[in-house]
Amino acid sequence: MPDASPNPPYRLDADSRGVFVISATPFHPDGSLDLASLDRALDFYLHAGVHGITLLGMMGEAHKLTSDEGETIVRRGLARVGGRVPVVVGVSGGSLPAMKSLAHLAMDAGAAGAMVAPPYGLRTDDAIVGYMRAVAHALGPEVPLVFQDYPPTTGVYVSPACLRRVIDEVHTVAMYKGEDVPGLDKISNTRAAERAGGRRVSVVCGNGGLLLPQALARGADGIMTGFSYPEMLVQVYEAHVRGEPDAGEDLYDAYLPLVSYENQPGFGLAVRKEILRRRGAIASAAVRAPGPVLSRADLGEIDRLLARIERRSASTTR
Amino acid sequence: MPDASPNPPYRLDADSRGVFVISATPFHPDGSLDLASLDRALDFYLHAGVHGITLLGMMGEAHKLTSDEGETIVRRGLARVGGRVPVVVGVSGGSLPAMKSLAHLAMDAGAAGAMVAPPYGLRTDDAIVGYMRAVAHALGPEVPLVFQDYPPTTGVYVSPACLRRVIDEVHTVAMYKGEDVPGLDKISNTRAAERAGGRRVSVVCGNGGLLLPQALARGADGIMTGFSYPEMLVQVYEAHVRGEPDAGEDLYDAYLPLVSYENQPGFGLAVRKEILRRRGAIASAAVRAPGPVLSRADLGEIDRLLARIERRSASTTR
Amino acid sequence: MPDASPNPPYRLDADSRGVFVISATPFHPDGSLDLASLDRALDFYLHAGVHGITLLGMMGEAHKLTSDEGETIVRRGLARVGGRVPVVVGVSGGSLPAMKSLAHLAMDAGAAGAMVAPPYGLRTDDAIVGYMRAVAHALGPEVPLVFQDYPPTTGVYVSPACLRRVIDEVHTVAMYKGEDVPGLDKISNTRAAERAGGRRVSVVCGNGGLLLPQALARGADGIMTGFSYPEMLVQVYEAHVRGEPDAGEDLYDAYLPLVSYENQPGFGLAVRKEILRRRGAIASAAVRAPGPVLSRADLGEIDRLLARIERRSASTTR
Amino acid sequence: MPDASPNPPYRLDADSRGVFVISATPFHPDGSLDLASLDRALDFYLHAGVHGITLLGMMGEAHKLTSDEGETIVRRGLARVGGRVPVVVGVSGGSLPAMKSLAHLAMDAGAAGAMVAPPYGLRTDDAIVGYMRAVAHALGPEVPLVFQDYPPTTGVYVSPACLRRVIDEVHTVAMYKGEDVPGLDKISNTRAAERAGGRRVSVVCGNGGLLLPQALARGADGIMTGFSYPEMLVQVYEAHVRGEPDAGEDLYDAYLPLVSYENQPGFGLAVRKEILRRRGAIASAAVRAPGPVLSRADLGEIDRLLARIERRSASTTR
């Protein structure tokens, strides 16, 4: 970082890359926001070496926050990160005016871009492209967009051709977050289209880390997800960049039992918060109601998974 | 509340009945709230003789409003209605803390109860009953609840047995709004369970008026919906109460082509706002983006439907 | 029809039009096929003046039949109709080889075409177009296709652009059966594209008759559905063709309460079979298990609806 | 059956346990059944040491077969297995009469039981329990049932309480196949209910092997799935039975990258058939159309995954 300050804020663009961790939103056991833990979690992520941070993602329980709480987190989070890495803010949901208002507040506070998932109920290529055009128009040319393709939650399915249309027709889309499964072909197709002269965007995968080695091999520029050991993601990514994919994949495989365990829909969020709590990143593992609660058996499984990972990753990375 | 008129505010209870119209939320053409039109719409509904009003229903585009806008509508709407009829406020969505906050604000401002639809993703009897128990606990014993059963939008399916459990186990549920199709059996079952000694709740149907005569005959206490001619609903209801169901059904049938036309999912909201505009209830038919826009052909169909209804209802009600 | 026989079998084409009734599949009370009632039902439909008949539609409980039973119905039904009107056979479901086998058996027995709905799980324009291309290729150039667009059951959503692609790229598609709601715009768009030089297909609506007057006014060539009074559909269609839409719509409106009642998803099939039984078209109203069973209250509602329709349609058509 | 060994055919019961592999259904490249490969695949599975085999599972593309083809596979498969291990036959789909007919044919040919998944569209506890009661009644007391709980495909969600009702009320259910995710709690609950005196059933997991160590630790009696290395499942299961879960889990973890890769919905079937082909179990990897086709990139990923597994499982199991 340069000393003489007039450090321009990050803006997502086609060359953005690396590991963007989706921040948990910490709550007190009574369900109220725990802003001190938000600071602590952000420090934890930065210490893990992440290349970016995402606030108000689905993993951040964004849909359970009031508008005011969302704004509070954006302001507090951006202040804490203090420009050290780019920060993406999820603005999905509600109306275009509400999305615009949140996105502009975030950009004014130093965010690098706004993430948008097409909402439940969009069901055809034209509907999806039309929605993203309308969002881009409403948010304006100064807001770089992440287009989140996450059908398990949104119920919206994006074909390779539709994705290409979004990239070609919506020029403020700077990053594609591909979480469709199967969906590796969409990464390959995006890279092939670029080689054929198409507009380039940054491509990241997600899904808690699932199929990360394959995604990187297909040309992904990184990953955006909330896995509870973000330093593993960073090391796998960096091994890939160094041209040592096998070393990265060995490490990845050591954590795969936990990646797989966290990937239980709905339930995984509670697992992640519990692990973040154990690791000192947040004070309470509370998920805001309504949400999953871990049983004694679940906690025992986490104990066992972490112990096994510790043993094995020690032997892998030594 | 003034001392001279010891008029206590309405509270929904098992004896609540009649036509509760779901208020449109009026916007200016630029998508901002049109509060003057909200006043006008409420006056229009009261003039139509409705027995209650619902703010922030799905038809009220509640999910497109920011928290602040929602609160504004609740305050303004309750002030305008001024206690003349009971007002229900939809609080569905988000987290329990957010729902509690909105419900308490509404009750403090004079609302008669809060409406809650179980959210997308609840899929078993225990999950539904558990959710409603958690909501009732969070909102507290002073907030009468409307349990909205509307699977086309929520994707949540409630069996007769599950509905009975909600009624038996969640004591602040004062009203059941049944919009499952087919779902007339749930009205019959609810009444049968009451005759067998079960706890009574008020039962209303919805669905824009679809199957209203059947619902009333099965024992529904009224209807809660946003049909653009609420006075028709009032007359049908009152004919039913007077014991003249055939007269009511003749009038109903005259409007059925419009009921049926408005019942096109997603699209119907734009039709209703257009008709409310034509009838002088609101200044602009704007639906907040993203939302449907009427084509010239659609507008022509509305012209034709209204002309035919006018002709026929004239001859029916003479 | 010419006397000297070598009457070529009907083939669906872009000029096919009129009312295609979807035949019920009659069962004995024990769930076995009732082929005598199939004959009776077909005679009943022909007597009602329908312009075509569809076997093995969804309303025909096709998905509950074994392959052998399906073939039996096709052979028996085509023999009974004896070439008096075109007969469409539903072949949706299963694999392409199975669809090909049934479609060829049907065409050899004198069918006019095969109806195909894209199966649950197709979610993008390319997936839908690709599926229809694969079906057309598998069934071959001699099998005219009906493309059934019925999202409430299939979960497949077809945009206007996607529909245009199916029509332009899949040349054996002779008829579009539009049952999306809202979906009137797809009829308008199809006609507009034809006026602009696009390939013409026959367009029919469905949905048990819902929005029939609007569909005809938008340019539909007819309707394919299983409404229990097919003669009403015939008269409305013929009034439209004669240029007397108001007369048709008056009659339609008289039956709309029943159209609306039958349109309860899943449940409507049992209503239709009960009415067909009362009208003497089939011996038993049995729906094959698993399926809906009418309660006493349901039967009472049917009594009342039919009595009211009789009264009103008498006064309308006099 | 020979006279000297009055070896009674297997019947599934509460004590059934071990690895039931779901057999692929082999096709020739032109899509026709490849019965010689079916024999070869069954020999391959038996050689891998499986404790049971399932024919006509979802992984067996059962829904793409005609009724006749299904019967052919059942007869041929049961003859080939020759009573060496119990064989379960999937009978889901269609009507109760069709299910009964297939189940009885299978039992007469020596099957150990019939597997049933509640069909898409069942949405409440009562609907699910009622369906399973109707199936059990239709199939009769001589057909042991596997109740398959697989919501990703069926869209049917079964709560712990609903599962308990199925077990308690439907006495021919001998085995519960739990594939809900998250769903480990249902295994725990089932075992807890048995300890409290409830009826015992056999419990197996599935999902291609996902979360197998956790399922066994929670009390599952085995697994039923189509993973392409069934011998791994056998060894993990046997290590668990021997009381050496860590040894089993080490082996499991070595294969987890492939388990995870195969678990891509829809796509995984093509991966499995490709690997089975490479391993000599079937002649062609053809999936019946419509179905996924592997790209060059997909094939390269399989190469890499298998090479890495070979290396690592060698070092693990040495």
Side-chain angles (χ1 to χ4, degrees):
Chain A
M1 293 296 119
D3 47 354
S5 167
N7 196 9
Y10 289 103
R11 282 286 186 273
L12 286 186
D13 62 28
D15 297 320
S16 296
R17 49 179 50 253
V19 175
F20 285 70
V21 72
I22 302 182
S23 175
T25 296
F27 298 104
H28 291 294
D30 69 358
S32 59
L33 279 185
D34 175 358
L35 293 174
S37 279
L38 178 63
D39 288 345
R40 223 202 302 172
L42 295 172
D43 293 347
F44 170 88
Y45 294 135
L46 289 166
H47 183 74
V50 301
H51 310 96
I53 293 177
T54 300
L55 298 171
L56 303 186
M58 293 178 191
M59 143 90 189
E61 300 174 69
H63 60 292
K64 296 185 193 164
L65 303 174
T66 65
S67 316
D68 287 348
E69 290 172 328
E71 295 175 7
T72 298
I73 285 170
V74 169
R75 286 208 183 84
R76 176 87 170 223
L78 280 161
R80 187 69 175 196
V81 174
R84 285 174 284 178
V85 297
V87 173
V88 173
V89 173
V91 302
S92 297
S95 66
L96 296 185
M99 294 168 69
K100 173 183 174 181
S101 152
L102 179 58
H104 285 199
L105 178 147
M107 297 305 290
D108 290 348
M115 182 158 69
V116 176
Y120 184 78
L122 294 183
R123 284 150 169 160
T124 65
D125 290 16
D126 279 350
I128 295 164
V129 175
Y131 179 80
M132 288 305 299
R133 291 174 73 112
V135 168
H137 185 260
L139 271 55
E142 301 304 320
V143 183
L145 298 177
V146 180
F147 174 55
Q148 183 181 16
D149 175 15
Y150 188 39
T153 289
T154 62
V156 177
Y157 290 82
V158 177
S159 69
C162 178
L163 170 58
R164 198 62 229 161
R165 283 183 59 194
V166 169
I167 295 172
D168 284 345
E169 299 180 24
V170 189
H171 289 130
T172 50
V173 168
M175 181 182 277
Y176 167 62
K177 183 178 187 205
E179 307 194 271
D180 196 2
V181 181
L184 292 167
D185 60 325
K186 285 192 261 191
I187 301 177
S188 299
N189 290 344
T190 300
R191 290 300 171 230
E194 291 165 4
R195 284 191 300 273
R199 187 169 83 84
R200 184 186 157 84
V201 292
S202 172
V203 173
V204 293
C205 62
N207 282 318
L210 221 62
L211 302 177
L212 171 60
Q214 286 80 14
L216 292 173
R218 300 249 189 168
D221 301 304
I223 181 167
M224 183 187 291
T225 196
F227 185 60
S228 53
Y229 284 79
E231 64 271 36
M232 179 277 277
L233 304 175
V234 170
Q235 292 174 57
V236 171
Y237 168 75
E238 292 181 345
H240 167 77
V241 167
R242 279 197 313 273
E244 299 176 14
D246 268 303
E249 198 158 347
D250 288 347
L251 180 65
Y252 174 82
D253 285 355
Y255 283 84
L256 183 51
L258 182 59
V259 168
S260 170
Y261 191 80
E262 283 191 3
N263 222 53
Q264 298 177 73
F267 176 78
L269 168 65
V271 176
R272 284 180 184 165
K273 287 190 123 173
E274 168 63 15
I275 297 178
L276 290 173
R277 185 194 64 75
R278 293 184 184 195
R279 302 191 73 199
I282 58 180
S284 159
V287 171
R288 191 170 260 194
V293 176
L294 300 179
S295 70
R296 181 184 300 264
D298 299 330
L299 293 169
E301 283 164 354
I302 294 171
D303 292 342
R304 181 172 167 82
L305 281 164
L306 297 190
R308 286 181 54 85
I309 282 173
E310 208 137 306
R311 212 165 345 135
R312 182 157 155 216
S313 65
S315 86
T316 308
T317 56
R318 100 234 64 133
Chain B
M1 290 297 118
D3 50 352
S5 97
N7 192 10
Y10 289 105
R11 282 285 186 275
L12 286 186
D13 62 29
D15 297 320
S16 296
R17 50 178 51 252
V19 175
F20 285 70
V21 72
I22 302 181
S23 175
T25 296
F27 298 105
H28 291 294
D30 69 358
S32 60
L33 280 184
D34 176 359
L35 293 173
S37 279
L38 178 62
D39 288 346
R40 223 201 303 170
L42 295 172
D43 293 348
F44 170 87
Y45 294 134
L46 290 166
H47 182 74
V50 301
H51 311 95
I53 293 178
T54 300
L55 298 172
L56 303 186
M58 294 178 190
M59 143 92 190
E61 300 174 71
H63 60 292
K64 295 186 192 164
L65 303 174
T66 64
S67 315
D68 287 349
E69 289 172 330
E71 295 176 7
T72 298
I73 285 170
V74 169
R75 287 209 183 85
R76 177 86 170 222
L78 281 161
R80 186 71 176 194
V81 174
R84 285 174 282 177
V85 297
V87 173
V88 172
V89 173
V91 301
S92 297
S95 65
L96 296 186
M99 292 166 69
K100 174 182 173 181
S101 153
L102 179 58
H104 286 199
L105 179 147
M107 297 304 290
D108 290 348
M115 182 158 69
V116 176
Y120 184 77
L122 294 183
R123 285 149 169 161
T124 65
D125 291 14
D126 279 350
I128 295 164
V129 175
Y131 179 81
M132 289 304 299
R133 292 174 72 112
V135 168
H137 184 261
L139 270 55
E142 301 303 321
V143 182
L145 298 177
V146 180
F147 174 55
Q148 184 181 15
D149 175 14
Y150 188 38
T153 288
T154 62
V156 177
Y157 289 83
V158 176
S159 69
C162 179
L163 169 59
R164 198 62 228 162
R165 281 184 60 196
V166 169
I167 294 171
D168 284 344
E169 299 180 23
V170 189
H171 290 130
T172 50
V173 168
M175 181 182 277
Y176 167 63
K177 182 179 188 205
E179 308 194 270
D180 196 3
V181 180
L184 292 168
D185 59 327
K186 285 193 261 190
I187 301 176
S188 298
N189 289 343
T190 300
R191 292 298 171 231
E194 291 166 3
R195 283 191 300 272
R199 186 168 84 83
R200 183 185 158 86
V201 292
S202 173
V203 173
V204 294
C205 61
N207 283 316
L210 221 61
L211 302 176
L212 171 60
Q214 286 80 14
L216 292 173
R218 298 251 191 167
D221 300 304
I223 182 167
M224 184 188 291
T225 198
F227 185 60
S228 53
Y229 284 79
E231 65 271 35
M232 179 276 277
L233 304 175
V234 171
Q235 291 174 58
V236 171
Y237 169 76
E238 292 181 346
H240 166 78
V241 168
R242 277 199 313 273
E244 299 176 13
D246 269 303
E249 200 159 346
D250 289 346
L251 180 66
Y252 175 82
D253 286 353
Y255 283 84
L256 184 52
L258 181 59
V259 168
S260 172
Y261 190 80
E262 283 192 4
N263 222 51
Q264 297 178 74
F267 176 79
L269 168 64
V271 175
R272 284 179 186 166
K273 285 189 125 174
E274 168 64 15
I275 297 178
L276 289 173
R277 185 195 64 76
R278 294 184 184 195
R279 302 192 74 198
I282 58 180
S284 159
V287 171
R288 192 171 257 195
V293 175
L294 300 180
S295 69
R296 181 184 300 263
D298 299 329
L299 292 169
E301 283 163 356
I302 294 171
D303 292 342
R304 180 171 168 83
L305 281 164
L306 298 190
R308 286 181 55 84
I309 282 172
E310 208 137 307
R311 210 165 346 135
R312 183 157 154 215
S313 64
S315 85
T316 307
T317 55
R318 93 235 70 122
Chain C
M1 293 296 115
D3 48 354
S5 166
N7 194 8
Y10 289 103
R11 282 285 186 274
L12 285 187
D13 62 27
D15 298 320
S16 295
R17 50 179 48 253
V19 174
F20 285 70
V21 72
I22 303 182
S23 175
T25 296
F27 298 105
H28 292 294
D30 69 358
S32 59
L33 280 185
D34 177 358
L35 294 174
S37 279
L38 178 62
D39 288 345
R40 226 205 296 174
L42 295 172
D43 294 348
F44 169 87
Y45 294 134
L46 289 166
H47 183 75
V50 300
H51 310 96
I53 293 177
T54 299
L55 298 172
L56 303 186
M58 293 177 191
M59 143 91 190
E61 299 174 72
H63 60 292
K64 295 186 193 165
L65 303 174
T66 65
S67 316
D68 288 349
E69 289 172 331
E71 295 176 6
T72 298
I73 285 170
V74 169
R75 286 208 184 85
R76 178 87 170 223
L78 280 162
R80 186 71 175 195
V81 175
R84 285 175 283 178
V85 297
V87 173
V88 173
V89 173
V91 301
S92 297
S95 66
L96 296 186
M99 292 167 71
K100 174 183 174 181
S101 154
L102 179 59
H104 285 199
L105 179 147
M107 296 304 290
D108 290 347
M115 182 157 69
V116 176
Y120 183 77
L122 295 183
R123 285 150 169 159
T124 65
D125 290 15
D126 279 349
I128 296 164
V129 176
Y131 179 81
M132 289 306 299
R133 293 173 72 111
V135 168
H137 184 260
L139 271 54
E142 301 303 320
V143 183
L145 298 177
V146 180
F147 174 55
Q148 183 181 14
D149 176 13
Y150 188 38
T153 288
T154 63
V156 177
Y157 290 82
V158 177
S159 69
C162 179
L163 169 59
R164 198 62 229 163
R165 283 185 59 194
V166 169
I167 294 171
D168 284 344
E169 299 180 23
V170 189
H171 289 130
T172 50
V173 168
M175 182 181 277
Y176 167 62
K177 182 179 187 205
E179 308 195 89
D180 196 1
V181 180
L184 292 167
D185 60 326
K186 286 193 261 191
I187 301 176
S188 299
N189 289 343
T190 300
R191 292 299 172 231
E194 291 166 3
R195 284 191 300 271
R199 186 169 84 84
R200 184 186 156 84
V201 293
S202 172
V203 173
V204 293
C205 62
N207 283 317
L210 222 61
L211 302 177
L212 171 60
Q214 286 80 12
L216 292 173
R218 298 250 191 168
D221 301 303
I223 182 167
M224 183 187 290
T225 197
F227 185 61
S228 53
Y229 284 78
E231 64 270 37
M232 178 276 277
L233 304 175
V234 171
Q235 292 173 56
V236 171
Y237 169 74
E238 292 181 344
H240 166 77
V241 169
R242 278 198 313 272
E244 299 176 13
D246 268 304
E249 200 160 346
D250 288 347
L251 180 64
Y252 174 82
D253 285 354
Y255 282 85
L256 183 52
L258 181 59
V259 168
S260 172
Y261 190 80
E262 283 192 3
N263 223 50
Q264 297 178 72
F267 177 79
L269 169 65
V271 175
R272 285 179 184 165
K273 286 189 123 173
E274 168 65 14
I275 297 178
L276 289 173
R277 185 194 65 74
R278 294 184 183 194
R279 303 191 72 198
I282 58 179
S284 160
V287 171
R288 192 171 259 195
V293 176
L294 300 180
S295 69
R296 181 185 299 264
D298 299 329
L299 292 169
E301 283 164 355
I302 294 172
D303 292 342
R304 179 171 168 83
L305 281 164
L306 298 190
R308 286 182 53 86
I309 282 173
E310 209 138 307
R311 212 166 343 136
R312 179 152 157 220
S313 65
S315 85
T316 308
T317 56
R318 94 235 71 130
Chain D
M1 294 293 116
D3 49 352
S5 96
N7 193 9
Y10 288 103
R11 282 284 186 274
L12 285 187
D13 62 27
D15 298 320
S16 296
R17 48 179 49 252
V19 175
F20 284 71
V21 72
I22 303 182
S23 176
T25 296
F27 297 105
H28 292 294
D30 69 358
S32 59
L33 279 185
D34 176 359
L35 294 174
S37 278
L38 178 62
D39 288 347
R40 226 205 296 175
L42 295 172
D43 294 348
F44 170 88
Y45 293 134
L46 290 166
H47 183 74
V50 301
H51 311 95
I53 293 177
T54 300
L55 298 172
L56 303 187
M58 293 177 191
M59 142 92 190
E61 299 174 71
H63 61 291
K64 296 185 192 165
L65 304 173
T66 64
S67 316
D68 287 349
E69 290 172 329
E71 296 176 5
T72 298
I73 285 170
V74 169
R75 287 207 183 85
R76 177 85 170 224
L78 281 162
R80 187 69 174 197
V81 174
R84 284 175 284 178
V85 297
V87 174
V88 173
V89 173
V91 302
S92 296
S95 65
L96 296 186
M99 294 168 69
K100 173 182 175 182
S101 152
L102 179 59
H104 285 198
L105 178 148
M107 297 305 289
D108 290 347
M115 182 157 69
V116 176
Y120 183 79
L122 294 183
R123 284 151 170 159
T124 65
D125 291 15
D126 279 349
I128 295 165
V129 175
Y131 178 81
M132 289 305 300
R133 292 174 73 113
V135 168
H137 185 261
L139 271 55
E142 301 304 319
V143 183
L145 298 178
V146 180
F147 174 54
Q148 184 181 15
D149 175 14
Y150 188 38
T153 289
T154 62
V156 177
Y157 289 82
V158 176
S159 69
C162 178
L163 169 60
R164 198 63 230 162
R165 283 183 59 194
V166 169
I167 294 172
D168 285 344
E169 300 181 23
V170 188
H171 289 129
T172 51
V173 168
M175 181 182 276
Y176 167 63
K177 183 178 187 205
E179 307 194 271
D180 196 1
V181 181
L184 292 166
D185 60 325
K186 285 193 261 191
I187 301 177
S188 299
N189 289 343
T190 300
R191 291 301 172 229
E194 291 166 4
R195 283 191 301 271
R199 187 169 83 85
R200 185 186 156 84
V201 292
S202 173
V203 173
V204 293
C205 63
N207 282 318
L210 222 61
L211 303 177
L212 171 60
Q214 286 80 14
L216 292 173
R218 299 250 190 168
D221 301 303
I223 181 167
M224 184 187 290
T225 196
F227 185 60
S228 53
Y229 283 80
E231 63 271 36
M232 179 278 276
L233 303 175
V234 170
Q235 292 173 55
V236 171
Y237 168 74
E238 292 181 344
H240 167 77
V241 168
R242 276 196 317 271
E244 300 176 12
D246 268 303
E249 198 159 347
D250 289 347
L251 180 65
Y252 174 82
D253 285 354
Y255 283 84
L256 183 52
L258 182 59
V259 168
S260 171
Y261 190 79
E262 283 191 3
N263 224 52
Q264 297 178 72
F267 176 79
L269 168 65
V271 176
R272 285 179 184 166
K273 286 190 125 174
E274 168 64 15
I275 297 178
L276 289 173
R277 185 195 64 75
R278 293 183 183 195
R279 302 191 73 199
I282 58 179
S284 160
V287 171
R288 192 170 260 194
V293 176
L294 300 180
S295 70
R296 181 185 300 263
D298 299 329
L299 293 169
E301 284 164 354
I302 295 171
D303 292 342
R304 181 174 167 84
L305 281 165
L306 297 190
R308 285 181 56 85
I309 282 173
E310 208 139 304
R311 213 168 342 139
R312 179 154 158 220
S313 65
S315 86
T316 308
T317 57
R318 95 231 70 123

